[in-house]
């Protein structure tokens, strides 16, 4: 069959699925299409007409593409998960695609997509509008390609810089991570595409992730990783939550009744459905009874399809009540109604890739963090006679993280043949070359050296007014780095270039914190993360001051591994043959993750959480505090731009309860013109004040004297006071 014939058949298949849905609104026999009814009422009406076979079919998704010679399901768009529609009831097929940084499946148009910068970059923006816009962009692209479920919303906390999936997430603080992920989910679902929040919960390492038990005190879990999910679920109202691979305190999350039924659905009131990660189901009845509603691609990734024959038998025997099966189907249908998937079914259309690339570029500009800038080396003056650009394939593009979230740019990957080619690769770059923008903005000569020959690179740097060294550190799903060192000879490259030219700028494209033995020898350092499809243009504009850096670190930057709660990650390293740990002890730091760990152990990080430089300067004055009628501390102060460039600062509110470590309680991102000032008010989020009371199973704010301070990072205070807070219980 020719390619054109296949596409024609696919178009017919899509049309056949959509036509009954489009016609269903005018059919009196389908009362569930009455939009004045609630999603729950509509789901119940459909459920009343479903056969037992249809109920069992909607609770499992097949792998939607060819695998090991097995053809893709008819009607699937090469999706990560596919559930056929129910034509007689007007229920469309479920077409799922990875992931949180962009659409990774080709879909109906058989092309690549636009990739957002890393989730850590979005978190570093400290800007919910950036998070929302990114979510809306990738949600819109998913919809344009024919997908109606996007596996986005990564909110696992960064507990270790060596974790291979940190780039998908939103940092180490639960308030920041949950808020930013929640706004991303909002953006996705406003495009009438269902979004997940994942990976629930404590999937904070990749080594041995399928069997590893993440062990932690339940209260510490409540006040850290679970709190991040609680905030994300409350903020974003996701249609689905994805349970993770790992165990928590010995029990697999997808069959943990306390996590799924008790906390998520019971306490938090989550009305959507719980889907499994691909390969995370280990049982039928225990999983269903614990709260798992849909099994994902079990025929490929699980030992068997547990939610088919085994669950049918469990229902037949009465081990799983019929009411539970009905509830599983109800939750999926309710989400489809609530998020617009049924009322406004996806119709593949031409994506707006050029506009979307600008969204990605703006996010990269907002999230890049300027870590060092001696003698105002940056921005690079237009008057410099020569700039030597070195390394990192900066002449071709910018690095992307790997695994299921790796987006193939719509214009392809400009750097081919990099290893690994197999899973979790292939290693990819986005075709947005920093060199192109640097050449366009510089008036003087711009040269490029690959950096593969250190002596040649040093020679090129010595002959230039400014040297810009690009370094990359690839990370991906399914493995962790064994240490924090840069790959290959990149440390030696930076050292040699800096020795040849003290006016050296280092641009990092990394998963997060790395060792920096050359830090004192270079003039400037910028963390660009994995900067996405607009990353090259963003980096060039930042280097030349077309836009002022405004990102702040969403995680602490350790000096080296010795400052971490665990010196080693057992079994880490791509292709490692060493056995991973069976259990990881998170009781070491508990809820004191990141900056709280550094405070608790009285250690000084290389760069603290919340840190970020600008091309301008800011001054704080007239600090004052009060406690509002609900018992929340409120800080007020005047922020003034004392420099010569328009820029943004991110004042952060930290609250310290008696005998505890400081917690981020709020923030504002404030843009000011030179000389401009603004009176800023930040009210503390009540969850940042509260401790979880296990006896009352509730969040409780203890009465007492609390330290309240505003700072430009977790360690720099710009105003501090003590306030007395009355006891309260959060609803």
């Amino acid at each position: 069959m020719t390619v054109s014939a296949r596409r024609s058949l696919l178009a017919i298949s899509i049309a056949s699925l959509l036509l009954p849905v489009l016609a269903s609104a005018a059919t009196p026999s389908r009362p569930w299409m009455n939009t004045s009814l609630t999603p729950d009422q509509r789901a119940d009406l459909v459920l009343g007409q479903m056969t037992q076979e249809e109920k069992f079919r909607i609770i499992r998704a097949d792998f939607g593409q060819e695998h090991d010679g097995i053809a893709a399901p008819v009607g699937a768009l090469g999706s990560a998960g596919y559930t056929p529609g129910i034509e007689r009831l007007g229920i469309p097929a479920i077409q799922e695609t990875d992931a949180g940084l962009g659409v990774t499946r080709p879909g109906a148009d058989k092309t690549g997509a636009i990739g957002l910068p890393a989730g850590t970059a979005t978190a570093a923006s400290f800007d919910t509008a950036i998070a929302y816009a990114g979510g809306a962009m990738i949600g819109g692209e998913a919809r344009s390609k024919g997908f109606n479920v996007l596996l986005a919303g990564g909110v696992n906390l960064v507990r270790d810089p060596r974790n291979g999936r940190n780039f998908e997430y939103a940092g180490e603080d639960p308030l920041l991570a949950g808020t930013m992920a929640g706004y991303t989910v909002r953006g996705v679902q406003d495009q009438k595409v269902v979004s997940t929040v994942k990976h629930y919960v404590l999937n904070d390492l990749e080594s041995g992730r399928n069997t590893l038990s993440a062990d932690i005190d339940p209260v510490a879990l409540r006040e850290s990783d679970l709190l991040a999910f609680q905030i994300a679920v409350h903020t974003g109202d996701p249609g689905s939550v994805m349970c993770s691979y790992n165990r928590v305190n010995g029990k697999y999350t997808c069959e943990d009744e306390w996590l799924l039924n008790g906390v998520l659905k019971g306490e938090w009131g989550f009305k959507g459905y719980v889907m499994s990660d691909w390969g995370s189901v280990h049982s039928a009845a225990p999983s269903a009874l614990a709260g798992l509603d849909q099994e994902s691609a079990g025929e490929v990734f699980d030992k068997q399809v547990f939610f088919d024959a085994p669950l049918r038998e469990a229902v037949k025997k009465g081990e799983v009540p019929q009411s539970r099966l009905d509830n599983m189907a109800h939750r999926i249908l309710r989400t489809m109604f609530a998020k617009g998937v049924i009322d406004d079914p996806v119709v593949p259309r031409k994506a707006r890739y050029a506009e979307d690339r600008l969204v990605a570029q703006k996010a990269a500009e907002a999230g890049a963090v300027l870590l060092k800038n001696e003698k105002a080396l940056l921005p690079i003056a237009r008057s410099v006679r020569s700039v030597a650009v070195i390394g990192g394939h900066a002449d071709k593009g910018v690095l992307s993280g790997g695994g299921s979230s790796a987006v193939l740019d719509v214009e392809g990957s400009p750097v081919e043949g990099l290893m690994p080619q197999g899973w979790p690769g292939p290693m990819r770059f986005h075709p947005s070359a920093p060199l192109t923008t640097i050449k366009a903005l510089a008036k003087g000569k711009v040269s490029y050296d690959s950096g593969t020959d250190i002596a040649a690179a040093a020679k090129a740097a010595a002959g230039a007014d400014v040297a810009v060294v690009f370094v990359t550190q690839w990370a991906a799903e399914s493995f962790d780095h064994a240490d924090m060192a840069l790959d290959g000879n990149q440390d030696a490259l930076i050292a040699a270039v800096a020795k040849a030219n003290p006016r050296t700028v280092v641009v990092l494209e990394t998963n997060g914190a790395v060792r920096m033995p050359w830090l004192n020898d270079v003039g400037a350092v910028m963390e660009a993360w994995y900067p996405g499809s607009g990353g090259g243009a963003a980096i060039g504009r930042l280097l030349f001051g077309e836009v002022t850096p405004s990102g702040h670190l969403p995680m602490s930057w350790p000096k080296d591994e010795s400052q971490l709660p665990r010196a080693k990650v057992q079994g880490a390293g791509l292709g490692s043959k060493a056995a991973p740990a069976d259990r990881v002890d998170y009781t070491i730091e508990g809820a004191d993750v990141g900056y709280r760990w550094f405070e608790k152990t009285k250690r000084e990080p290389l760069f603290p959480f919340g840190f970020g430089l600008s091309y301008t300067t800011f001054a704080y004055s007239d600090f004052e505090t009060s406690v509002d009628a609900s018992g929340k501390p409120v800080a007020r102060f005047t922020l003034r731009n004392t420099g010569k460039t328009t820029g943004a600062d991110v004042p952060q509110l930290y609250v310290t309860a008696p005998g505890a470590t400081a917690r981020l309680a709020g923030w504002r991102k404030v843009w000011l013109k030179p000389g401009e000032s603004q009176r800023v008010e930040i009210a503390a989020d009540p969850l940042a004040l509260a401790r979880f009371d296990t006896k009352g199973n509730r969040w409780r704010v203890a009465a007492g004297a609390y330290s309240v301070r505003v700072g430009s990072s977790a360690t720099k205070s710009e105003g501090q006071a003590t306030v007395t807070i009355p006891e309260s219980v959060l609803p």
Side-chain angles (χ1 to χ4, degrees):
M1 185 181 292
T2 65
V3 173
S4 60
R6 288 195 190 98
R7 289 179 176 173
S8 296
L9 284 175
L10 179 59
I12 293 170
S13 176
I14 293 171
S16 68
L17 288 172
L18 292 177
L19 284 175
V21 180
L22 294 172
S24 62
T27 304
S29 61
R30 292 176 173 169
W32 50 85
M33 297 308 295
N34 180 355
T35 57
S36 68
L37 300 176
T38 68
D40 282 302
Q41 290 172 326
R42 299 174 75 181
D44 281 338
L45 288 169
V46 176
L47 191 67
Q49 298 300 313
M50 290 177 73
T51 66
Q52 189 80 335
E53 182 63 30
E54 289 167 340
K55 293 174 185 177
F56 272 108
R57 192 63 190 87
I58 203 171
I59 64 169
R60 61 182 177 88
D62 296 335
F63 195 46
Q65 64 185 71
E66 181 182 350
H67 182 79
D68 287 345
I70 301 173
V74 175
L77 298 174
S79 38
Y82 170 75
T83 302
I86 309 173
E87 183 175 341
R88 71 182 189 88
L89 300 178
I91 305 302
I94 295 173
Q95 303 271 9
E96 301 169 346
T97 180
D98 304 290
L101 306 181
V103 181
T104 68
R105 310 282 169 166
D109 64 2
K110 302 298 182 184
T111 67
I114 297 299
L116 288 171
T120 42
T122 296
S125 75
F126 279 74
D127 189 337
T128 55
I130 291 291
Y132 178 89
M137 186 276 278
I138 61 176
E141 285 201 4
R143 186 175 179 83
S144 74
K145 291 172 176 289
F147 298 110
N148 52 20
V149 177
L150 186 60
L151 309 177
V155 72
N156 297 91
L157 292 187
V158 175
R159 284 179 176 262
D160 195 305
R162 296 163 294 191
N163 176 22
R165 287 187 97 168
N166 283 341
F167 70 93
E168 296 186 42
Y169 305 142
E172 70 188 21
D173 179 79
L175 179 60
L176 177 66
T179 301
M180 297 300 281
Y183 272 89
T184 298
V185 168
R186 280 193 196 182
V188 171
Q189 294 190 154
D190 278 355
Q191 303 304 305
K192 299 182 180 178
V193 170
V194 174
S195 177
T196 65
V197 162
K198 63 183 186 182
H199 308 90
Y200 185 78
V201 60
L202 216 62
N203 187 181
D204 296 345
L205 285 174
E206 291 296 290
S207 301
R209 63 179 181 170
N210 295 90
T211 56
L212 177 146
S213 177
D215 296 343
I216 191 170
D217 176 78
V219 172
L221 177 58
R222 290 274 197 175
E223 297 178 0
S224 56
D225 293 67
L226 270 181
L227 179 56
F229 276 91
Q230 180 177 348
I231 293 169
V233 168
H234 174 77
T235 303
D237 188 26
S240 181
V241 169
M242 182 191 295
C243 52
S244 56
Y245 290 116
N246 57 285
R247 297 175 290 151
V248 172
N249 295 328
K251 184 174 290 188
Y252 283 108
T253 64
C254 292
E255 53 187 37
D256 191 320
E257 198 276 338
W258 176 71
L259 284 173
L260 301 183
N261 284 338
V263 176
L264 176 64
K265 294 180 178 179
E267 295 175 23
W268 300 351
F270 175 66
K271 294 185 177 181
Y273 65 99
V274 177
M275 70 163 66
S276 69
D277 206 339
W278 275 234
S280 65
V281 183
H282 300 270
S283 64
S287 295
L289 292 172
L292 179 64
D293 300 303
Q294 187 180 68
E295 181 179 13
S296 305
E299 81 286 0
V300 173
F301 294 94
D302 294 327
K303 289 183 178 180
Q304 60 177 308
V305 184
F306 290 102
F307 277 14
D308 196 1
L311 187 58
R312 291 173 189 267
E313 184 67 16
V315 172
K316 183 179 178 180
K317 290 181 177 179
E319 296 173 4
V320 174
Q322 178 66 37
S323 60
R324 173 62 189 129
L325 175 64
D326 290 348
N327 178 257
M328 294 159 74
H330 170 95
R331 285 177 171 274
I332 297 166
L333 291 165
R334 183 201 180 278
T335 288
M336 296 176 76
F337 280 117
K339 306 308 176 186
V341 169
I342 293 176
D343 294 334
D344 192 0
V346 294
V347 178
R349 61 179 186 240
K350 186 177 181 180
R352 303 180 301 174
Y353 292 125
E355 293 92 335
D356 290 350
R357 196 178 296 276
L358 291 176
V359 173
Q361 177 185 317
K362 184 175 181 180
E365 291 172 353
V369 182
L370 185 60
L371 297 174
K372 181 178 181 179
N373 194 22
E374 278 191 354
K375 300 178 181 178
L377 176 55
L378 293 178
I380 300 172
R382 299 293 185 89
S383 59
V384 298
R385 294 168 298 176
S386 59
V387 178
V389 178
I390 299 166
H393 298 288
D395 61 328
K396 299 287 182 63
V398 290
L399 184 62
S400 166
S404 61
S405 68
V407 177
L408 175 62
D409 197 283
V410 69
E411 295 182 3
S413 179
V415 185
E416 298 292 344
L418 299 175
M419 300 302 290
Q421 286 295 298
W423 176 262
M427 188 185 299
R428 287 174 176 158
F429 278 67
H430 291 291
S432 179
L435 183 65
T436 301
T437 301
I438 291 170
K439 284 184 173 180
L441 295 176
K443 293 184 178 180
K445 177 184 176 183
V446 177
S447 63
Y448 176 74
D449 185 278
S450 68
T452 54
D453 183 328
I454 293 179
K459 183 177 180 180
D465 289 342
V466 177
V468 183
V469 184
F470 285 81
V471 295
T472 59
Q473 177 83 319
W474 189 68
E477 178 181 358
S478 81
F479 81 96
D480 302 314
H481 281 285
D483 54 42
M484 292 174 58
L486 285 169
D487 290 334
N489 61 2
Q490 293 183 104
D491 283 329
L493 173 65
I494 297 170
V497 169
K499 184 175 181 180
N501 188 339
R503 291 174 58 80
T504 292
V505 179
V506 176
V507 178
L508 297 167
E509 296 172 28
T510 68
N511 184 42
V514 293
R515 282 190 233 145
M516 304 170 75
W518 34 261
L519 180 61
N520 292 334
D521 302 320
V522 302
V525 182
M526 182 178 292
E527 173 59 78
W529 317 101
Y530 298 143
S533 290
I539 292 170
R541 284 165 48 82
L542 286 160
L543 291 176
F544 280 85
E546 291 290 295
V547 60
T548 300
S550 62
H552 287 246
L553 289 177
M555 76 278 285
S556 306
W557 195 294
K559 295 174 182 176
D560 55 38
E561 300 86 344
S562 70
Q563 292 191 311
L564 301 173
R566 286 156 294 279
K568 295 182 178 180
V569 177
Q570 189 173 321
L574 181 62
S576 172
K577 302 301 182 183
D582 181 63
R583 313 185 83 94
V584 172
D585 184 9
Y586 287 124
T587 62
I588 296 171
E589 73 273 32
D592 290 318
V593 180
Y595 64 91
R596 298 175 66 188
W597 167 256
F598 281 92
E599 179 186 338
K600 180 179 180 179
T601 58
K602 296 179 172 57
R603 303 181 187 192
E604 183 181 351
L606 190 61
F607 298 106
F609 173 89
F611 175 82
L613 300 176
S614 174
Y615 293 156
T616 190
T617 53
F618 299 92
Y620 292 68
S621 62
D622 303 323
F623 177 80
E624 61 181 16
T625 60
S626 63
V627 177
D628 68 14
S630 65
K632 294 195 303 289
V634 180
R636 300 175 186 84
F637 53 93
T638 299
L639 182 68
R640 181 178 179 83
N641 183 338
T642 55
K644 299 179 180 179
T645 303
T646 296
D649 199 13
V650 180
Q652 302 147 42
L653 177 64
Y654 293 90
V655 176
T656 306
T661 54
R663 297 170 66 178
L664 180 70
W667 71 88
R668 287 278 304 277
K669 189 164 190 174
V670 183
W671 285 91
L672 296 172
K673 297 177 182 178
E676 184 181 7
S677 63
Q678 181 177 323
R679 191 69 177 163
V680 180
E681 178 177 299
I682 307 176
D685 188 295
L687 283 169
L689 307 174
R691 297 294 308 275
F692 194 81
D693 175 11
T694 54
K695 291 183 180 179
N697 201 46
R698 60 188 182 178
W699 288 95
R700 175 177 169 270
V701 179
Y706 288 67
S707 171
V708 177
R709 65 179 175 85
V710 167
S712 52
S713 76
T715 60
K716 186 176 181 182
S717 178
E718 304 288 355
Q720 185 168 348
T722 299
V723 298
T724 300
I725 298 176
E727 181 177 10
S728 62
V729 175
L730 302 187

